[in-house]
Amino acid sequence: MTSETIRWTRKDLLGIAELSPAEIGLLLDTAESFSEIGERPIKKVPTLRGKTVINLFFEASTRTRSSFEIAEKRLSADNINFSTSGSALEKGESLIDTALNLQAMAPDLVVIRHGSPGVPHMLARRLQAGVINAGDGAHEHPTQALLDAFTIRRHKGRLAGLRVAILGDIEHSRVVRSNIHLLTKMGATVVVGGARTLMPTAVEKLGVEVAYSLEDALRGADVVMMLRIQLERQGKMSFPSAKEYFRLFGLTRERLKLAQDDAIVMHPGPMNRGVEIASDVADGSRSVILEQVTHGVSVRMAVLYLLSGVTASEES
Ligand code: CP
């Protein structure tokens, strides 16, 4: 089934795990159609005029929050940004009471990032507004996986048949979980690589190959995706020092030679330069790291548009 033959019917975007390949294709194709708006002198269309979006960020974010805000503004939605600091959460109001009060102001969509897995799902059950997961703990980060897939498609023309190496702190990463779901559903082979202490048990049950050396994981890869060491989610350091980690598991120009000659290098950010990736690789000719950020806006415009339920007749 191609994306032209399906319609988006979901109220929420909570994870990639529940999406079909056709839904993923529809999201990526819709993002493709929005991407040209970012190249116009006036980067604005009236598509979501009259719609209200609330951005609830309970965890730090640079890329995802800015990207959603820019996507909402480019689509002419009204948006407000909400964080713990300065809200009644500081007076002890619960998250669900906060959300129900915001719902009472009739938003159309709520974007939420939270440190606890499942919070977007809980809100989705209680709110009439569509809920978009902008990252929940170490569970899922669906719009990151979509923008990663969009970037890969732009460079490789496809996802099926590619070998994608995802390397680093696999245990604590929501990005890797969403990417594994998306890439395997779309026919790519995923190999996860890194230190045993940063590898979840039974990860192979997700349908991936597992390598415990960077060299084994990199061999023949079409796409190399590095992940940040997430010290804030580790109870204690899982390796002796940052220098030692870089020596064993850092992506260097020398190690990158093991991948395909035309392999691209990705990273969701924020990067720990000199820890999981050398600066000359991060800034090198194979790096598409800043392109990922650019494509994030188009992908989030597509998600907002499809979840808003705007029909062609409403657009005109
Ligand atoms: N990739 C990503 O989620 O970055 P931020 O934490 O800056 O949003």
Side-chain angles (χ1 to χ4, degrees):
M1 193 189 292
T2 67
S3 62
E4 289 90 56
T5 63
I6 70 154
R7 279 179 67 82
W8 186 264
T9 55
R10 292 178 188 273
K11 174 175 100 53
D12 313 295
L13 177 65
L14 301 175
I16 300 294
E18 54 265 30
L19 299 185
S20 67
E23 287 173 307
I24 294 167
L26 175 62
L27 282 159
L28 296 177
D29 291 347
T30 307
E32 201 64 65
S33 70
F34 277 122
S35 68
E36 128 332 282
I37 295 166
E39 288 154 25
R40 294 182 191 173
I42 310 281
K43 301 175 181 59
K44 205 169 183 75
V45 290
T47 310
L48 292 194
R49 198 171 46 201
K51 301 283 180 187
T52 305
V53 185
I54 300 181
N55 300 309
L56 292 171
F57 277 74
F58 296 99
E59 262 194 348
S61 171
T62 295
R63 282 146 288 269
T64 312
R65 183 163 60 182
S66 319
S67 181
F68 267 112
E69 282 185 49
I70 289 171
E72 290 151 12
K73 288 182 193 310
R74 284 193 184 161
L75 291 170
S76 302
D78 298 312
N79 58 2
I80 68 154
N81 301 307
F82 180 98
S83 56
T84 312
S85 169
S87 78
L89 286 158
E90 289 187 331
K91 301 178 197 167
E93 186 167 33
S94 70
L95 172 62
I96 192 65
D97 276 336
T98 302
L100 290 172
N101 277 272
L102 293 171
Q103 174 69 64
M105 299 177 220
D108 298 284
L109 294 168
V110 171
V111 178
I112 178 160
R113 168 170 288 191
H114 200 280
S116 298
V119 167
H121 307 68
M122 185 266 287
L123 287 192
R125 286 192 295 275
R126 301 292 299 272
L127 303 185
Q128 282 116 45
V131 175
I132 300 168
N133 182 357
D136 62 327
H139 177 224
E140 278 234 33
H141 192 350
T143 57
Q144 179 69 45
L146 287 163
L147 75 89
D148 291 341
F150 185 98
T151 307
I152 295 170
R153 264 194 1 178
R154 275 286 177 96
H155 281 269
K156 302 289 176 190
R158 66 197 160 96
L159 297 170
L162 294 177
R163 186 170 178 81
V164 182
I166 309 181
L167 311 171
D169 184 352
I170 307 297
E171 167 100 60
H172 302 99
S173 174
R174 52 193 172 210
V175 172
V176 77
R177 276 169 191 73
S178 290
N179 263 295
I180 288 171
H181 288 309
L182 191 152
L183 292 165
T184 55
K185 280 172 198 269
M186 301 307 275
T189 298
V190 177
V191 52
V192 293
R196 280 181 193 275
T197 49
L198 294 173
M199 198 64 75
T201 49
V203 66
E204 61 284 353
K205 289 197 175 145
L206 293 174
V208 298
E209 296 175 21
V210 185
Y212 294 106
S213 82
L214 223 65
E215 287 76 7
D216 285 345
L218 281 167
R219 219 161 269 122
D222 299 293
V223 176
V224 179
M225 190 182 296
M226 299 308 296
L227 299 175
R228 178 174 72 91
I229 293 291
Q230 304 211 19
L231 292 174
E232 75 276 19
R233 292 194 211 285
Q234 296 181 17
K236 57 180 175 50
M237 285 260 278
S238 303
F239 49 92
S241 69
K243 198 170 162 194
E244 180 68 359
Y245 184 84
F246 182 68
R247 189 178 70 76
L248 290 170
F249 297 106
L251 184 65
T252 58
R253 273 201 295 191
E254 203 50 38
R255 284 189 171 129
L256 187 55
K257 287 181 187 159
L258 292 166
Q260 298 286 357
D261 291 342
D262 62 350
I264 56 171
V265 174
M266 308 179 74
H267 194 305
M271 283 187 283
N272 294 307
R273 290 171 182 261
V275 181
E276 72 265 2
I277 189 165
S279 265
D280 60 356
V281 177
D283 302 328
S285 60
R286 317 266 285 272
S287 170
V288 297
I289 293 169
L290 292 177
E291 269 183 59
Q292 289 173 260
V293 180
T294 302
H295 297 323
V297 177
S298 311
V299 161
R300 289 170 179 128
M301 287 170 81
V303 171
L304 292 160
Y305 168 74
L306 290 172
L307 265 64
S308 73
V310 172
T311 60
S313 59
E314 273 181 275
E315 271 187 86
S316 56

